[in-house]
């Protein structure tokens, strides 16, 4: 039995979905263990191109069981719509190959409403939320003001619990934001439209995991976003509201006693960021526009242009350490083939002093990039399948990054395995 976590090293959007899809054939179970519908994992395969937001990226693999763990913000509306879309493309999804933890808390209709209302209130001080209700959801979860997916099977008790939470939540909606309150009529329609179709997929995962372990099955844990968006170790407050760290994977999956044998950290060969907050190596103007277009850097969930910049050694080394990565997947390296010189941010300059350590979040606004340049390779490498067939300059770039971040680069975006 082998357990592996696929995690983001930077701000998210590193290409984790592709990596999960690539190597999930070696695993029997793929588990989403945190986050919600606020980010997308892009997968391209024989079924087409998909931006998955809640479904694990292993759903396209025959024989693989996909699981949504208790640490996920389980949004019935988004999940049912995603299931229907994927099925329409010819993918088989049944309760046999998709399971939702009975202990997963449900993202409720007012969570998205409150997310939008708060971003409006913040105006130019907003955090860059995707408005999918994630922060209100996790806030309510830890206040014990949500309902568990398993409660759906007792309709009477479910609505009694939900009505009490709604009365409490309407105080905020009406008195703080001056918005229209939720009604039980709204909730009953939401229940019948999205919750009832979800019920066949909901199960107690304890027996499932026990059986998987007894049979020696290989389990992969799939994360959303990256180290720099982690609620505890990210660039606070410009973070998500859950733990994106690999150490949380067994807990958010519902199997806290499981051990991780491998942690693959995914990072782009250059830097990208969606949302607000410090981004030290960021580019602007024509230089940024060119890289954005070459890499197709637009958010899978929002469609908004991603901020782009040079590879950030300081941030990446920090992310590798926090994730405990045993290997790195370097994605989209072929995008930089047009560059004569490859810029790399190797240190930060803060208050006149240079540092190679990632600063405390409140100091990042002062940080300036210290940049070195490596030789470009000047040719298309998208068809290369072996590391030794890469141009020497491209090999040197990989080896340079490997040395700088202190972690073996096992995968390269065009499918090379070393």
């Amino acid at each position: 039995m082998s357990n592996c976590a696929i995690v983001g090293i930077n701000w998210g959007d590193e290409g984790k979905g592709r990596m999960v899809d690539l190597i999930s054939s070696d695993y029997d179970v793929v588990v989403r263990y945190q986050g919600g519908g606020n980010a997308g994992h892009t997968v391209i395969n024989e079924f087409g191109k998909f931006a998955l937001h809640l479904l694990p990226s292993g759903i396209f693999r025959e024989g693989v069981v996909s699981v949504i763990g208790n640490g996920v913000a389980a949004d019935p509306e988004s999940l049912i719509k995603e299931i229907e879309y994927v099925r329409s493309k010819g993918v088989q999804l049944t309760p046999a190959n998709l399971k939702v933890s009975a202990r997963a808390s449900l993202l409720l209709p007012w969570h998205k409403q409150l997310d939008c209302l708060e971003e409006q209130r913040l105006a130019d001080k907003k955090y860059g939320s995707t408005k999918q209700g994630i922060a209100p959801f996790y806030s309510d979860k830890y206040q014990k003001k949500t309902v568990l997916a398993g409660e759906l099977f007792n309709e009477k008790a479910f609505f009694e619990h939900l009505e009490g939470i709604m009365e409490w939540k309407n105080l905020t909606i009406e008195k703080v934001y001056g918005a229209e309150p939720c009604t039980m009529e709204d909730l009953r329609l939401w229940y019948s439209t999205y919750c009832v179709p979800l019920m066949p997929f909901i199960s107690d995962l304890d027996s499932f995991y026990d059986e998987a372990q007894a049979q020696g099955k290989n389990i992969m844990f799939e994360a959303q976003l990256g180290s720099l968006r982690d609620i505890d170790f990210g660039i606070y407050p410009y973070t998500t509201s859950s733990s994106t760290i690999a150490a949380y994977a067994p807990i958010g999956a519902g199997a806290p006693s499981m051990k991780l044998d491998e942690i693959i950290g995914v990072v782009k060969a250059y830097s990208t960021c969606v949302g607000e907050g410090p981004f030290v190596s960021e580019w602007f103007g024509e230089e940024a526009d060119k890289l954005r277009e070459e890499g197709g850097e637009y958010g899978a969930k929002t469609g908004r242009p991603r901020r782009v910049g040079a590879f950030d050694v300081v941030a990446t080394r920090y992310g590798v350490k926090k994730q405990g990565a045993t290997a790195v997947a370097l994605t989209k390296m072929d995008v930089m083939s047009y560059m004569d010189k490859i810029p790399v941010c190797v240190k930060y300059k803060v208050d006149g002093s240079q540092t190679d350590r990632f600063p405390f979040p409140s100091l990042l606004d002062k940080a300036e990039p210290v940049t070195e340049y490596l030789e470009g390779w000047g040719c298309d490498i998208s068809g290369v399948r072996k590391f030794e067939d890469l141009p020497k300059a491209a090999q040197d770039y990989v080896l340079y990054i490997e040395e700088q971040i202190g972690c073996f680069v096992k995968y390269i975006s065009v499918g090379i395995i070393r």
Side-chain angles (χ1 to χ4, degrees):
M1 180 177 181
S2 176
N3 299 327
C4 172
I6 307 289
V7 293
I9 294 299
N10 292 149
W11 291 263
D13 302 303
E14 299 98 343
K16 296 181 291 298
R18 176 180 178 178
M19 287 307 304
V20 173
D21 187 52
L22 173 68
I23 65 177
S24 58
S25 58
D26 298 329
Y27 291 84
D28 305 292
V29 181
V30 177
V31 187
R32 267 289 305 276
Y33 65 86
Q34 52 78 225
N38 54 321
H41 287 176
T42 301
V43 176
I44 302 174
N45 55 30
E46 66 272 22
F47 295 102
K49 181 177 180 180
F50 299 85
L52 302 178
H53 306 291
L54 278 167
L55 291 174
S57 301
I59 59 168
F60 303 105
R61 294 287 185 183
E62 187 176 353
V64 172
V65 178
S66 294
V67 176
I68 295 175
N70 54 274
V72 175
D75 178 357
E77 179 179 354
S78 295
L79 186 51
I80 288 300
K81 288 179 177 178
E82 198 166 312
I83 289 171
E84 290 174 349
Y85 175 71
V86 170
R87 279 175 166 170
S88 74
K89 298 297 183 179
V91 180
Q92 296 297 314
L93 272 182
T94 71
N97 68 350
L98 175 64
K99 299 182 183 298
V100 178
S101 172
R103 287 187 171 272
S105 293
L106 299 182
L107 189 143
L108 303 170
W110 48 72
H111 288 139
K112 292 179 182 178
Q113 180 187 9
L114 286 166
D115 208 352
C116 294
L117 290 169
E118 179 61 9
E119 284 288 283
Q120 291 173 13
R121 188 191 70 81
L122 288 170
D124 60 350
K125 296 180 181 179
K126 63 184 182 296
Y127 297 149
S129 170
T130 58
K131 301 177 183 178
Q132 295 303 302
I134 303 304
F137 164 84
Y138 279 107
S139 175
D140 283 0
K141 177 178 178 176
Y142 289 104
Q143 290 189 77
K144 302 179 288 290
K145 297 291 188 180
T146 57
V147 291
L148 303 181
E151 293 183 59
L152 291 172
F153 294 99
N154 186 337
E155 184 176 345
K156 181 176 183 296
F158 172 78
F159 276 110
E160 287 176 354
H161 188 186
L162 195 61
E163 185 172 17
I165 297 173
M166 182 195 71
E167 291 173 355
W168 171 77
K169 187 56 66 176
N170 276 342
L171 294 173
T172 301
I173 294 172
E174 291 184 279
K175 305 298 183 183
V176 175
Y177 294 107
E180 288 295 317
C182 290
T183 67
M184 287 305 296
E185 183 180 0
D186 296 332
L187 293 178
R188 290 189 182 279
L189 178 61
W190 168 79
Y191 169 83
S192 61
T193 306
Y194 303 114
C195 295
V196 171
L198 185 63
M199 289 171 66
F201 298 97
I202 298 171
S203 63
D204 180 355
L205 295 182
D206 285 348
S207 57
F208 171 76
Y209 285 134
D210 288 345
E211 184 177 342
Q213 288 183 296
Q215 295 176 357
K217 291 187 175 181
N218 298 325
I219 300 177
M220 177 187 292
F221 301 91
E222 179 182 7
Q224 176 206 60
L225 297 169
S227 307
L228 304 181
R229 295 300 191 201
D230 182 77
I231 185 65
D232 289 306
F233 302 107
I235 305 173
Y236 191 87
Y238 303 100
T239 68
T240 192
S241 299
S242 63
S243 178
T244 65
I245 301 300
Y248 181 72
I251 298 171
S257 63
M258 283 190 189
K259 308 300 181 186
L260 296 176
D261 301 298
E262 185 177 19
I263 300 171
I264 299 175
V266 187
V267 60
K268 280 179 184 165
Y270 52 93
S271 295
T272 66
C273 170
V274 170
E276 307 295 326
F279 182 21
V280 176
S281 66
E282 185 171 10
W283 290 354
F284 301 93
E286 292 183 7
E287 185 179 43
D289 291 340
K290 175 66 173 175
L291 179 55
R292 187 177 296 111
E293 291 304 315
E294 290 288 334
E297 296 299 348
Y298 298 89
K301 181 64 182 181
T302 63
R304 60 187 174 188
R306 294 186 182 124
R307 300 158 69 188
V308 298
F311 186 91
D312 190 326
V313 167
V314 181
T316 304
R317 188 190 298 121
Y318 174 82
V320 165
K321 180 179 179 181
K322 292 304 176 186
Q323 292 289 14
T326 58
V328 161
L330 188 67
T331 65
K332 286 197 167 184
M333 187 167 158
D334 52 313
V335 169
M336 300 189 301
S337 295
Y338 74 92
M339 297 181 186
D340 295 328
K341 297 285 185 179
I342 310 294
V344 180
C345 173
V346 295
K347 294 182 179 180
Y348 293 169
K349 186 176 181 180
V350 183
D351 292 332
S353 298
Q354 292 189 9
T355 180
D356 60 3
R357 297 185 66 85
F358 196 69
F360 190 75
S362 61
L363 297 176
L364 283 168
D365 282 329
K366 300 180 180 181
E368 300 174 8
V370 177
T371 305
E372 290 184 359
Y373 292 86
L374 282 70
E375 289 296 322
W377 42 91
C379 63
D380 181 16
I381 61 172
S382 61
V384 178
R385 291 297 178 266
K386 294 181 180 179
F387 179 75
E388 55 267 28
D389 292 339
L390 284 172
K392 184 178 184 303
Q395 292 184 27
D396 289 345
Y397 185 74
V398 174
L399 296 174
Y400 177 84
I401 286 178
E402 187 174 82
E403 179 182 10
Q404 291 292 316
I405 66 176
C407 192
F408 175 60
V409 178
K410 185 176 181 180
Y411 300 92
I412 299 171
S413 64
V414 291
I416 303 168
I417 302 178
R418 293 174 62 207

